[in-house]
Amino acid sequence: MGFTALVVGRLCRTRVVYSCPFSGGWLVEVDVWAHSVNSHGRRHRLEDHLRGCAGLARGFAEPFGLGDLAWWAALIHDGGKAWCEWQAKLLRVEASGARVGLDHKSFGVQLARRHGLEPVEWAVAGHHGGLTRRAEVDALFGEDDHREEQLRLGPWADSERVLRTLVPEIFSHVPALPGDFVDGGDRMVREFALRFLYSCLVDADVLDTQAHRLGLAGPRVGSGLEASMIFERFVARRSEFVRGRLSSPMDWLRESVFEQALAAAMVGPGLFRMTAPTGAAKTIAAAGFALRHAAEFGKRRVVVAVPFITITEQNAAVYRALLNDDAAGAEPVVLEHHSNVDVDRVRGDERTRSWQRFAAENWDAPFVVTTTVQLLESLFGRRPAQMRKVHRLADSVIVLDEVQALPHRLLPQVADALRILSERFGVTVLLSSATQPELWSLSPLAALKPRDVVEDVEAMFAGARRVRYQWRVDPKPMLADVVAEALGYRQVLVVVNTVRDARVVFEGARDLAAPDVRVVHLSTGMCAAHRQTVLERVRGWLAAGESLMLVSTSLIEAGVDVDFPVVYRAVAPPDSEAQAAGRCNREGRLGPEGGLVVLFDPADGGAPPSYQTQIDKAGAYFGPDKAEPDDLAALGRYFAALYRTLDIEGRGSVSTTIEWHRWHLDFVGVADGPPLPGGRGRDRTKAFRLILEDTVPVVVPYGSPDERRMVRDGLAALRGPTPDSAVWRRLQPFMTTVRRRTVDRPEIAALMSPVVGDLREWRGDYDDGFGLALEPRGEDFIL
């Protein structure tokens, strides 16, 4: 039904006069609202919301020079709510909590286009559903032959007349288009600049809305990084830690890496590599580098990303002990974030959706410990809950720990992201690993020279050699043979390639071992709290000299601090084998002969599909009569040859497909993949996804009676109307991640109940030995 709206005059701060259908055709004086009543019975005025968001967004974007543009985008993002029909619907549905369901973003999109501010079009069009594609943004304008009528008589004109009274600065302070978006510039930088602008808008929107819902005086904004003070605290506590621990033959290595890291931190911002042997305390050295660099060059925060949740938990515990203020009531320095809950899948009314979006962290903390998945899939994502945090990366220090675990198919895009973050957004990046991938052999970084933290890497590796290798590959042993042989050692770690193999070896060893031998298991079928308990017990048994076999998947390899005299490792890519060797004779106390690493190729063992090409290519460089897995020169040749074999930068590769979508600002194509033929969804194998298969986070019943009660209470809170981020964090240690195809099996689905979003509660058996009582088919669980 057609209508008009007329602003007669500004009668008071936010009251306007409307003439429209819901008023019965009479001129009525009304307030203009952004959100319905909160728990305190107060509505949110539209002009307050727009100005509140604008102030936040400007502050978020100023570090990378887009403050004015972000301010204006936030000022117009909800402008369509000034449409009188939207206002009427808000009041009608308020009691039920239902969504208004009327378009309110088209006004901002058309206003941005009128002023030639294309990046604002994208940001406003996606501020609820996510960044999209050009065709979907254009669709908000309607059919060409109706656009003029909409502009002159429709809801857009209605909103504009109201906003010229309520928020006149929208029209009097239109910003200029920043250089990032001018034709002729780097298209990849333009794409990232749009992502950062979008991040500022959605984070500001959520924070300002959240403050209204909670009845707060203002949005929750964390304190900044006081880098000099925290660095001094870190150095002092590290010194206490070193004095209090047992001396080790490897102390020279750790001190050398730490001192070189502090020296490198005084070099100007850029891209750094820290290549050092396993057991070199790179976790602590990386923090020292990051904090000193932040203090010297005024960086805003530190973000440490690691590939596996196991390491996230371990590293976060170390960093909390070294960085958090012990004073009662002090705000924590360290934020640990690795939730796998997809809050963008949540369905329900807008009030519930806004609370559930709040549960996704926005990394407003001085020192963030997260997963590589969270970091990179946020950078290349498109959904609001993913991207709220992206703007926090500007002018920061990012540590990519255990960088060798990045999937090869995405390395060119990761390299390009690091280039753009460093050159455009003031980010210093530290790549830390004992087995560095050859990122500088890829085109995005080919013109840049890496800065190496450790000066003479080969000499350091030679001096830190602690193991000898043996091979069991011809003939291939059975897993049962490996179990029998490994049980001949007093303390031994056995690492296999799949959850299924780990369970077979664990159950076989448990049946065959003598009564005094402890046999324990570690895999992603167990929740984080369970894994941590096992690791603590294992360290205690190792120190006491008790007979022990630990069976694990590869999750133990990257940075987990255990020290076995003997390690058996199923044949895998050489960087993985070298990482497994890092769990052997870690402290170097076994004399000149060192520890023993046995590499075996089980006739009845499995492996992830991605392993086969890597293992085949490694055969040309590593083996009984060739190089050992920790040979740096051989690793460099292997990586370069592997990238050529995989053709990761070739036409039709995953990286090239993603690059094409980035060039054309097709954010759906980047995050979800190109369309499949016949409209059958999207090809996610060519999207920017570190884990190709869909996964589902599952809360399991593990722990003491008090812990189980806390889990039950947390789940009840999440099912209620107002969960907050503290609930998510409390539950994370009791989560594991299962492939969606497994969850969808009828016999498994019957043992789960939904909580919120993708999150499930496990109601089946949970084994104290191996975790979720499933019969694994291949790889049901995800690292």
Side-chain angles (χ1 to χ4, degrees):
M1 179 173 62
F3 65 91
T4 59
L6 174 66
V7 179
V8 173
R10 184 162 183 168
L11 303 180
C12 60
R13 192 168 74 98
T14 59
R15 296 177 73 81
V16 298
V17 174
Y18 273 115
S19 174
C20 56
F22 77 89
S23 66
W26 294 92
L27 295 175
V28 292
E29 181 185 342
V30 296
D31 289 291
V32 184
W33 307 112
H35 301 111
S36 56
V37 293
N38 59 16
S39 57
H40 294 71
R42 291 193 293 270
R43 297 190 184 99
H44 199 187
R45 296 181 187 277
L46 180 60
E47 66 176 84
D48 292 343
H49 178 54
L50 297 181
R51 288 184 174 127
C53 289
L56 288 170
R58 185 197 291 277
F60 295 158
E62 280 180 343
F64 46 92
L66 297 181
D68 289 347
L69 196 67
W71 170 83
W72 197 74
L75 208 58
I76 69 169
H77 80 287
D78 272 355
K81 291 182 177 182
W83 174 26
C84 71
E85 189 64 31
W86 196 97
Q87 291 289 311
K89 182 75 177 293
L90 175 74
L91 299 180
R92 288 200 301 270
V93 302
E94 184 175 61
S96 66
R99 299 178 65 196
V100 173
L102 297 176
D103 173 33
H104 69 270
K105 59 190 178 184
S106 295
F107 167 79
V109 177
Q110 64 86 23
L111 189 61
R113 181 165 296 188
R114 184 195 306 173
H115 292 287
L117 296 175
E118 181 185 14
V120 178
E121 291 182 38
W122 289 89
V124 173
H127 78 271
H128 282 303
L131 289 170
T132 57
R133 296 168 292 167
R134 166 54 62 194
E136 293 183 21
V137 176
D138 288 346
L140 294 174
F141 287 81
E143 299 296 330
D144 287 341
D145 54 351
H146 294 304
R147 288 182 187 174
E148 285 302 319
E149 182 181 352
Q150 287 178 304
L151 284 166
R152 186 167 51 85
L153 299 174
W156 297 345
D158 183 11
S159 297
E160 180 167 337
R161 282 191 289 267
V162 173
L163 289 171
R164 282 187 177 277
T165 296
L166 293 183
V167 193
E169 60 267 36
I170 288 176
F171 308 94
S172 60
H173 291 78
V174 179
L177 186 68
D180 288 316
F181 305 103
V182 175
D183 289 342
D186 186 326
R187 293 289 292 260
M188 300 296 102
V189 171
R190 174 186 298 189
E191 192 242 10
F192 259 51
L194 206 161
R195 291 177 179 278
F196 273 72
L197 174 69
Y198 176 74
S199 174
C200 295
L201 172 59
V202 294
D203 195 29
D205 189 18
V206 171
L207 289 172
D208 192 74
T209 303
Q210 173 202 117
H212 165 68
R213 300 294 187 207
L214 292 173
L216 303 177
R220 288 173 166 171
V221 179
S223 58
L225 172 63
E226 299 180 41
S228 296
M229 180 192 71
I230 294 174
F231 176 66
E232 291 176 4
R233 180 188 300 160
F234 166 80
V235 170
R237 290 184 179 176
R238 178 189 175 272
S239 297
E240 293 175 9
F241 172 75
V242 170
R243 286 195 300 270
R245 64 173 290 169
L246 292 174
S247 62
S248 164
M250 303 308 295
D251 286 345
W252 71 270
L253 172 67
R254 291 159 188 157
E255 285 302 315
S256 176
V257 172
F258 184 74
E259 291 301 323
Q260 290 186 71
L262 294 191
M266 302 303 288
V267 179
L271 302 178
F272 292 78
R273 291 186 305 196
M274 184 165 66
T275 309
T278 55
K282 292 187 290 296
T283 296
I284 294 178
F289 170 92
L291 289 169
R292 189 172 196 183
H293 189 83
E296 181 67 19
F297 297 100
K299 299 302 180 184
R300 299 193 305 154
R301 64 179 39 79
V302 174
V303 178
V304 179
V306 296
F308 307 129
I309 289 178
T310 309
I311 323 169
T312 312
E313 300 149 0
Q314 174 183 281
N315 289 7
V318 171
Y319 292 142
R320 279 193 292 266
L322 292 171
L323 302 179
N324 278 353
D325 190 342
D326 293 333
E331 186 173 311
V333 171
V334 177
L335 167 69
E336 179 182 358
H337 181 221
H338 47 77
S339 172
N340 291 303
V341 177
D342 186 354
V343 296
D344 283 311
R345 289 180 179 268
V346 171
R347 297 292 181 265
D349 63 82
E350 182 59 30
R351 180 179 301 180
T352 303
R353 287 161 57 88
S354 67
W355 278 108
Q356 288 156 349
R357 273 191 228 106
F358 168 47
E361 298 289 355
N362 66 347
W363 290 359
D364 188 8
F367 197 106
V368 179
V369 184
T370 188
T371 60
T372 311
V373 171
Q374 280 283 340
L375 173 65
L376 293 177
E377 291 194 0
S378 293
L379 263 177
F380 287 90
R382 70 183 194 91
R383 302 284 188 181
Q386 284 179 303
M387 299 196 66
R388 282 183 60 196
K389 60 183 79 74
V390 166
H391 71 90
R392 308 278 179 185
L393 300 176
D395 207 18
S396 69
V397 182
I398 296 177
V399 177
L400 285 179
D401 201 0
E402 306 295 351
V403 69
Q404 80 284 345
L406 291 170
H408 299 118
R409 69 186 187 282
L410 298 178
L411 285 179
Q413 292 305 304
V414 172
D416 194 45
L418 300 182
R419 172 187 71 87
I420 294 170
L421 289 173
S422 174
E423 294 181 344
R424 170 61 183 87
F425 293 96
V427 177
T428 289
V429 179
L430 176 66
L431 307 176
S432 176
S433 177
T435 52
Q436 289 276 356
E438 290 293 314
L439 288 181
W440 271 261
S441 70
L442 303 174
S443 56
L445 297 181
L448 300 178
K449 181 176 174 53
R451 304 175 183 183
D452 285 307
V453 169
V454 175
E455 294 180 354
D456 193 341
V457 175
E458 291 187 359
M460 178 174 284
F461 270 74
R465 178 63 63 84
R466 289 156 288 173
V467 303
R468 66 191 189 281
Y469 291 90
Q470 293 181 3
W471 297 79
R472 306 278 193 278
V473 294
D474 189 16
K476 295 183 178 183
M478 302 295 287
L479 287 172
D481 299 328
V482 173
V483 170
E485 182 179 320
L487 283 171
Y489 295 96
R490 184 172 182 81
Q491 295 180 331
V492 61
L493 167 64
V494 180
V495 184
V496 291
N497 290 326
T498 70
V499 170
R500 175 193 170 277
D501 288 359
R503 185 159 165 184
V504 167
V505 172
F506 169 65
E507 292 179 332
R510 194 166 51 178
D511 293 341
L512 191 60
D516 64 333
V517 178
R518 300 181 184 273
V519 179
V520 289
H521 169 274
L522 206 63
S523 83
T524 48
M526 303 153 65
C527 69
H530 192 174
R531 295 194 301 267
Q532 189 60 37
T533 297
V534 169
L535 285 170
E536 289 172 359
R537 290 172 178 170
V538 165
R539 293 183 184 112
W541 295 330
L542 286 170
E546 297 190 31
S547 296
L548 166 69
M549 175 187 280
L550 172 60
V551 181
S552 179
T553 57
S554 61
L555 68 83
I556 199 170
E557 291 172 350
V560 178
D561 188 6
V562 291
D563 188 0
F564 281 84
V566 179
V567 172
Y568 277 68
R569 180 49 167 113
V571 167
D575 47 322
S576 184
E577 294 171 346
Q579 292 289 340
R583 309 319 115 192
C584 183
N585 192 24
R586 193 171 178 85
E587 295 297 331
R589 293 194 171 101
L590 298 182
E593 191 175 45
L596 173 63
V597 177
V598 178
L599 299 171
F600 65 95
D601 189 5
D604 55 342
S610 62
Y611 270 21
Q612 194 56 56
T613 301
Q614 298 174 65
I615 292 172
D616 290 346
K617 183 58 63 177
Y621 303 93
F622 304 95
D625 301 317
K626 301 183 180 73
E628 294 177 339
D630 54 5
D631 185 313
L632 292 182
L635 276 171
R637 293 192 295 271
Y638 157 76
F639 279 127
L642 179 65
Y643 300 161
R644 289 193 297 271
T645 299
L646 296 174
D647 197 23
I648 60 177
E649 291 191 280
R651 179 178 295 181
S653 67
V654 172
S655 177
T656 303
T657 301
I658 294 170
E659 183 177 12
W660 188 92
H661 285 117
R662 290 179 61 201
W663 179 274
H664 291 88
L665 297 182
D666 184 349
F667 297 96
V668 178
V670 173
D672 301 335
L676 289 167
R680 296 180 294 106
R682 291 188 166 267
D683 183 359
R684 294 191 174 187
T685 66
K686 292 190 175 182
F688 193 97
R689 294 171 64 91
L690 273 74
I691 300 170
L692 288 177
E693 293 199 54
D694 278 345
T695 62
V696 175
V698 179
V699 178
V700 301
Y702 173 79
S704 67
D706 287 343
E707 288 173 321
R708 293 183 182 225
R709 188 178 307 110
M710 182 275 294
V711 169
R712 288 195 300 271
D713 292 344
L715 290 170
L718 290 185
R719 289 185 171 109
T722 57
D724 64 31
S725 57
V727 176
W728 299 95
R729 287 196 292 271
R730 287 198 299 270
L731 289 179
Q732 282 175 355
F734 302 93
M735 292 184 192
T736 187
T737 308
V738 184
R739 276 181 163 84
R740 187 176 297 278
R741 68 184 183 190
T742 304
V743 172
D744 289 342
R745 284 158 42 190
E747 71 275 18
I748 301 300
L751 298 174
M752 295 187 179
S753 61
V755 181
V756 63
D758 277 355
L759 186 63
R760 304 287 197 278
E761 177 186 7
W762 177 250
R763 295 183 179 274
D765 293 334
Y766 186 85
D767 189 274
D768 286 340
F770 50 78
L772 280 183
L774 306 178
E775 286 295 333
R777 302 179 188 172
E779 281 292 279
D780 285 333
F781 303 98
I782 294 293
L783 289 178

